[in-house]
Amino acid sequence: MAHLTNPGPFHPSIPRPLHNPASAPAPAAAQPQVHDHGAAPANHNHDHLTSTTQLRTATPGATQPLMKSPSATHALIRGDRTAGMLTMSDDHVMMNQILATHAPDGRDVDVRPLLYLVEDILNRATEHVDFIIKGTQAQIEMEEKAQQANYIAMLEALTFTIDRIACELSYKALRGSDPHATTTAIFSFLSSYAWDAKLVLSLSAFALNYGEFWLLAQIYSTNQLAKSMAILKQLPSLLEHTAPLKPRFNALNTLIRTMMDVTRCVVEFKDLPSMYISPDAPALASAMTLIPTAVYWTIRSMVACATQISSLTSMGHEYGVLATESWELSTLAHKLQNIHEHLRKQLNLCYQHIEEKKDVDTFHMLVKLFDPNVAHIDNMKHLKALIYAGDDKLPLLDGATSRKVGLEVLRRRNVLLLISSLEFSGDELAILEQIYSDTRMHEAGMQSHYEVVWIPVVERSGVPLSEETRTRFEALRSSMPWYSVEDPFLIEKPVMRFIKEVWHFRTKPILVVLDPRGKVLSQNAIHMMWIWGSAAFPFTSYEEEKLWSKETWQLNLLIDGIDPLILDWIKDGKYIFLYGGDDMEWISKFVASARTVASAFGIPLEMVYVGKSNKREQVKKVAAIIKERKLSHCWEDPAMVWFFWTRLESMMFSKIQLGRADDLDPIVQGIKKLLSYGREGGWAVLSEGSNILVNGHSTTVLPTLVDYVKWRGNVAEKGFNLSFIEYHDQLHNVAHPCCRFEFLATTKAPESIRCPECHRFMEKHTAFVCCHDEQAIPDSLFAS
């Protein structure tokens, strides 16, 4: 390792970095020499210090020529610096020397408070540079970051070290020492410290000198003490020529800010949590091999900056206008910027690695938290883990008042978590709002059974949200009368993973039910809500079983409260045809034939068109034609058509969830047929009152009506109902209409399903479907 040959403040036997002028040899006209990179040019620097000291104590007349011509001294400094840069071109050799000085003793220095203070000094100093050059600078209040309990104690422990480095920087800068030798000396002095501490302590020492320089520049015109000190440092003369020095100050500013960038980066690496990232992680390992180089060149840049400032004050503004000096600073800045870019890239990879590890831990925490075997006092832990754990903001928006509220409004309440993407259909939302409003109306004056909270699942493709996504979110949120998460970014990635993997959210909305203690009563009660509304509360599997035990395959089950007019027909005991499809020719023949049969047998018949489960726009056109021609009653509101088919899908899914999709269950058989018929061709359900007689495909129902003369003779003996059923079944046994069920790739399809017509297991196929219906509800059979 190179050794310093000149005495300086790092040598205990010498108290100050200045020699006694009386004992110095007389000035000599020495020429600059190229020295070994490990040693500073002792004789020439000593001669320079002596000459400068004598020059300042001589008479004005004798010193005037020398003060106007510092070229010899400048050539000496530049020659030494250039020699150091050239001979140290081999980075490998140079870094071996630096690494040889590194012998940390294990002490752990918290450099963060010190770094905050240094940043404050250098930021204010560089701002003041801009003020001097531009002539205007607004006062900027810097945040007081370093107010920690152990702050004073830490400064007391490190002040001596910082002062010694500051003296070394000033002394060697004035002497024009080799920058590598100075840098190596600093590393030797800080050998027992870690890399981040070496860097922050050195930067603190530089900030001490640099801050003092600009403090005098700032107040010398208004403070007599500062003015006298500034005169000693030749600041007034220097500041009178700021315009020519602008490139130099700009280069200094750029380099200092890059030094701070690198320092922050190195400290951030030190602060990485070891529980989430190990030293052998590729990104961290790569960075750790570069950090010694980064620390070296940052301290080397401090030496260069100190030299520049010392040269300006000792040799005047003429020295500062030389382009070669700005070039050196710019070269160092460019080198440090490249180092910083690489470190920042590796640091970002480390943060990504840590984030992934934290996400995994959070996910497992959620799984443990929602373990049904673990008891809790209330639901607050669960809600905070899902929505927002902090106390610094109100994470919910009350849809009733449009005010932000905290999670406390949900404490020990039954909570229904409505989880969806922003692809929430207007029909779904309208029906859900109606159910919610009806419930609140019936519970007027009483505490409601439950609260609903909308949790939006928004993929984080950008931060912040795009304007379009933000607008869609806010529009959807404002339309909801219940509580909503105020900002979709409050829902963190591990929470979204939990929702998808544990609660099986895919694309369709789900409704997760939590009891007052946070226990999950149902992972998806949306199907129960569609089928029975709030009557299904508290939405448990037990309650679902109990409700199904009361149901039979009747028209009341299919219609529920969708259309009060049909309920009136049921009460009157009328015959009712529910029918659908999108073939207008078939519909016209069906309606005409049905009216002919009703007239022939004198039965009261009502008909209602309920469309089909897909082709939304086509269904609207057909409904408009039926209304115009007055063929029958029809549902003009698309939401009613959507809700009818959604309830059927929910019934099927509910049976599958409960493991009750028994092929002998008449409800399951009837639902399967309707869902299959609703996707292909026409269909019709005939009932007397609520009692369903026939649930048939277009290929069997229409011929039964057309051929009524063939079975009318049985009516007198068997009655209308049985005669109609028997003839329809005969046709059905011959026709066997094809059945099919479609499941989105994002939904969980059952492993097997039997055909409701022939009762054999159906074949499984993959299909690509496009209905050319942009406004249609997505083609999903079941939601999960």
Side-chain angles (χ1 to χ4, degrees):
M1 187 185 79
H3 295 280
L4 298 178
T5 57
N6 291 322
F10 282 23
H11 295 269
S13 59
I14 301 179
R16 297 191 309 165
L18 289 177
H19 300 295
N20 183 356
S23 62
Q31 297 296 321
Q33 299 178 10
V34 177
H35 301 281
D36 177 80
H37 63 263
N43 294 335
H44 291 263
N45 290 330
H46 190 105
D47 292 345
H48 165 57
L49 267 175
T50 304
S51 301
T52 304
T53 305
Q54 292 175 345
L55 176 151
R56 290 179 178 174
T57 57
T59 60
T63 61
Q64 190 72 14
L66 290 174
M67 292 183 68
K68 287 188 177 181
S69 180
S71 57
T73 305
H74 165 249
L76 177 62
I77 294 175
R78 186 174 58 185
D80 288 336
R81 184 164 55 249
T82 303
M85 292 284 282
L86 291 174
T87 56
M88 284 309 301
S89 60
D90 188 347
D91 281 356
H92 181 70
V93 174
M94 174 188 70
M95 288 312 303
N96 281 343
Q97 292 180 353
I98 297 302
L99 291 171
T101 68
H102 187 57
D105 57 8
R107 75 180 76 182
D108 186 18
V109 181
D110 181 12
V111 296
R112 277 285 182 182
L114 186 58
L115 179 60
Y116 293 151
L117 185 63
V118 170
E119 285 180 323
D120 185 49
I121 293 172
L122 293 179
N123 282 333
R124 292 178 187 274
T126 52
E127 285 165 5
H128 191 68
V129 171
D130 293 337
F131 173 80
I132 294 293
I133 295 173
K134 297 175 183 176
T136 175
Q137 172 67 49
Q139 291 295 323
I140 301 176
E141 293 297 328
M142 303 294 292
E143 181 182 0
E144 297 295 337
K145 301 178 181 177
Q147 303 304 315
Q148 298 185 11
N150 60 347
Y151 177 56
I152 301 300
M154 180 270 298
L155 276 183
E156 289 177 351
L158 297 176
T159 297
F160 175 74
T161 302
I162 294 171
D163 282 344
R164 290 197 64 181
I165 300 172
C167 288
E168 179 76 357
L169 284 172
S170 298
Y171 177 51
K172 294 298 178 63
L174 281 170
R175 297 183 63 224
S177 299
D178 171 44
H180 172 66
T182 303
T183 305
T184 304
I186 293 174
F187 273 99
S188 297
F189 180 64
L190 297 175
S191 62
S192 60
Y193 291 91
W195 294 110
D196 64 309
K198 295 181 200 288
L199 190 51
V200 175
L201 289 172
S202 301
L203 192 64
S204 302
F206 171 76
L208 195 64
N209 293 338
Y210 195 64
E212 179 187 7
F213 175 84
W214 284 112
L215 179 63
L216 291 177
Q218 183 178 2
I219 67 173
Y220 84 96
S221 61
T222 58
N223 185 289
Q224 185 57 47
L225 175 61
K227 183 176 181 180
S228 299
M229 294 179 64
I231 291 174
L232 283 177
K233 290 180 174 290
Q234 301 184 27
L235 279 181
S237 172
L238 181 66
L239 298 179
E240 287 173 3
H241 300 84
T242 54
L245 295 176
K246 182 177 180 179
R248 174 71 64 83
F249 286 138
N250 285 342
L252 273 171
N253 264 352
T254 300
L255 182 54
I256 291 171
R257 287 167 183 163
T258 307
M259 285 157 44
M260 287 194 289
D261 289 340
V262 174
T263 303
R264 289 189 206 101
C265 220
V266 171
V267 172
E268 283 186 64
F269 275 109
K270 172 68 180 306
D271 291 343
L272 292 177
S274 58
M275 64 182 296
Y276 292 114
I277 188 166
S278 60
D280 58 352
L284 183 55
S286 174
M288 294 310 294
T289 60
L290 180 62
I291 281 178
T293 302
V295 174
Y296 171 82
W297 282 107
T298 306
I299 296 178
R300 174 79 171 259
S301 297
M302 297 175 203
V303 173
C305 290
T307 300
Q308 298 292 318
I309 294 299
S310 296
S311 301
L312 285 172
T313 56
S314 63
M315 288 178 281
H317 67 274
E318 295 92 343
Y319 170 78
V321 300
L322 295 174
T324 54
E325 311 308 325
S326 297
W327 173 86
E328 181 193 2
L329 297 178
S330 299
T331 300
L332 286 169
H334 180 71
K335 188 177 189 69
L336 273 188
Q337 285 165 358
N338 288 337
I339 292 173
H340 175 252
E341 287 176 6
H342 183 75
L343 284 179
R344 178 53 61 181
K345 179 181 177 181
Q346 299 306 310
L347 187 61
N348 290 339
L349 291 174
C350 288
Y351 283 140
Q352 182 179 340
H353 177 90
I354 292 169
E355 192 69 22
E356 290 171 357
K357 291 285 188 180
K358 286 183 176 180
D359 287 351
V360 170
D361 283 359
T362 302
F363 174 80
H364 290 308
M365 178 273 293
L366 286 168
V367 172
K368 184 177 180 180
L369 184 63
F370 283 93
D371 184 343
N373 299 316
V374 179
H376 297 274
I377 298 176
D378 59 26
N379 55 6
M380 294 310 294
K381 278 187 178 180
H382 306 76
L383 295 173
K384 286 185 175 182
L386 288 172
I387 298 173
Y388 186 68
D391 297 322
D392 58 331
K393 63 175 63 177
L394 301 174
L396 299 180
L397 188 73
D398 186 345
T401 63
S402 297
R403 293 181 179 177
K404 293 181 181 181
V405 295
L407 294 174
E408 283 293 327
V409 297
L410 305 174
R411 183 184 289 273
R412 294 186 179 176
R413 303 296 307 278
N414 291 289
V415 178
L416 274 57
L417 302 175
L418 177 60
I419 303 171
S420 80
S421 68
L422 300 185
E423 302 297 330
F424 206 144
S425 81
D427 292 336
E428 278 180 299
L429 189 55
I431 298 297
L432 202 56
E433 285 179 10
Q434 186 62 47
I435 296 173
Y436 179 82
S437 299
D438 291 346
T439 304
R440 287 296 189 269
M441 190 179 301
H442 294 149
E443 295 171 347
M446 302 183 296
Q447 188 178 40
S448 62
H449 287 315
Y450 58 82
E451 298 293 347
V452 179
V453 179
W454 178 48
I455 295 184
V457 177
V458 179
E459 297 300 330
R460 305 187 178 204
S461 56
V463 179
L465 289 178
S466 67
E467 189 64 30
E468 178 185 0
T469 303
R470 171 64 64 178
T471 301
R472 286 171 57 201
F473 164 73
E474 292 178 351
L476 190 55
R477 184 186 63 185
S478 65
S479 67
M480 296 181 176
W482 42 75
Y483 295 112
S484 301
V485 172
E486 193 272 331
D487 186 340
F489 274 11
L490 292 179
I491 309 302
E492 298 179 344
K493 287 190 293 183
V495 175
M496 289 196 285
R497 178 189 170 192
F498 179 82
I499 288 171
K500 293 175 181 179
E501 294 186 15
V502 178
W503 290 344
H504 307 297
F505 170 79
R506 288 171 175 81
T507 57
K508 301 278 284 183
I510 64 173
L511 198 64
V512 178
V513 183
L514 305 181
D515 75 1
R517 293 190 175 186
K519 182 179 180 179
V520 177
L521 300 181
S522 173
Q523 287 190 4
N524 190 7
I526 195 77
H527 309 293
M528 298 174 69
M529 184 70 82
W530 293 146
I531 301 168
W532 296 290
S534 296
F537 181 84
F539 305 103
T540 61
S541 297
Y542 172 78
E543 190 67 27
E544 193 172 9
E545 292 267 20
K546 191 167 69 172
L547 289 168
W548 272 123
S549 68
K550 300 176 182 178
E551 300 289 356
T552 57
W553 178 240
Q554 299 217 341
L555 198 60
N556 272 326
L557 175 62
L558 301 183
I559 298 303
D560 192 43
I562 298 177
D563 191 341
L565 180 60
I566 297 178
L567 296 180
D568 290 340
W569 295 342
I570 292 174
K571 290 178 183 178
D572 295 339
K574 293 183 177 181
Y575 283 87
I576 303 167
F577 256 130
L578 258 64
Y579 70 97
D582 60 350
D583 184 343
M584 199 60 223
E585 182 180 355
W586 180 88
I587 290 173
S588 298
K589 290 179 180 179
F590 166 76
V591 171
S593 300
R595 294 202 182 281
T596 299
V597 171
S599 177
F601 294 101
I603 61 173
L605 177 65
E606 299 291 349
M607 291 182 286
V608 56
Y609 174 72
V610 298
K612 58 189 304 178
S613 59
N614 57 0
K615 297 188 178 179
R616 181 186 180 94
E617 291 303 307
Q618 182 65 18
V619 168
K620 288 172 66 176
K621 293 176 182 177
V622 170
I625 295 172
I626 291 173
K627 181 182 178 182
E628 181 184 357
R629 297 181 184 178
K630 298 180 180 179
L631 297 178
S632 73
H633 179 56
C634 66
W635 291 342
E636 297 180 72
D637 185 355
M640 296 174 69
V641 176
W642 174 87
F643 191 38
F644 174 80
W645 291 104
T646 297
R647 287 186 72 250
L648 288 178
E649 294 175 0
S650 295
M651 291 176 197
M652 188 63 188
F653 186 82
S654 174
K655 287 285 189 178
I656 291 174
Q657 255 190 165
L658 292 172
R660 296 291 188 268
D662 190 342
D663 292 298
L664 299 178
D665 184 345
I667 295 179
V668 173
Q669 289 300 300
I671 294 170
K672 281 183 180 180
K673 287 181 180 180
L674 273 179
L675 290 172
S676 179
Y677 298 161
R679 302 193 67 82
E680 292 295 331
W683 62 273
V685 172
L686 176 63
S687 73
E688 181 185 15
S690 188
N691 183 35
I692 294 176
L693 305 177
V694 167
N695 175 12
H697 192 264
S698 60
T699 57
T700 57
V701 174
L702 181 56
T704 301
L705 293 172
V706 172
D707 297 343
Y708 78 96
V709 294
K710 296 181 181 180
W711 51 268
R712 66 183 302 172
N714 298 328
V715 172
E717 179 184 351
K718 298 180 179 180
F720 175 81
N721 293 359
L722 187 56
S723 300
F724 189 95
I725 293 171
E726 285 181 348
Y727 190 82
H728 175 270
D729 287 349
Q730 290 177 19
L731 296 178
H732 176 269
N733 291 334
V734 175
H736 275 312
C738 181
C739 289
R740 71 168 183 164
F741 301 96
E742 292 179 4
F743 299 85
L744 283 176
T746 54
T747 63
K748 185 179 180 181
E751 290 298 321
S752 62
I753 189 168
R754 288 185 182 272
C755 173
E757 300 291 347
C758 66
H759 306 297
R760 290 179 296 186
F761 283 110
M762 302 176 70
E763 295 180 358
K764 187 182 292 186
H765 296 271
T766 301
F768 295 89
V769 180
C770 181
C771 295
H772 308 290
D773 187 4
E774 294 180 357
Q775 299 182 20
I777 298 297
D779 259 349
S780 64
L781 180 58
F782 304 124
S784 63

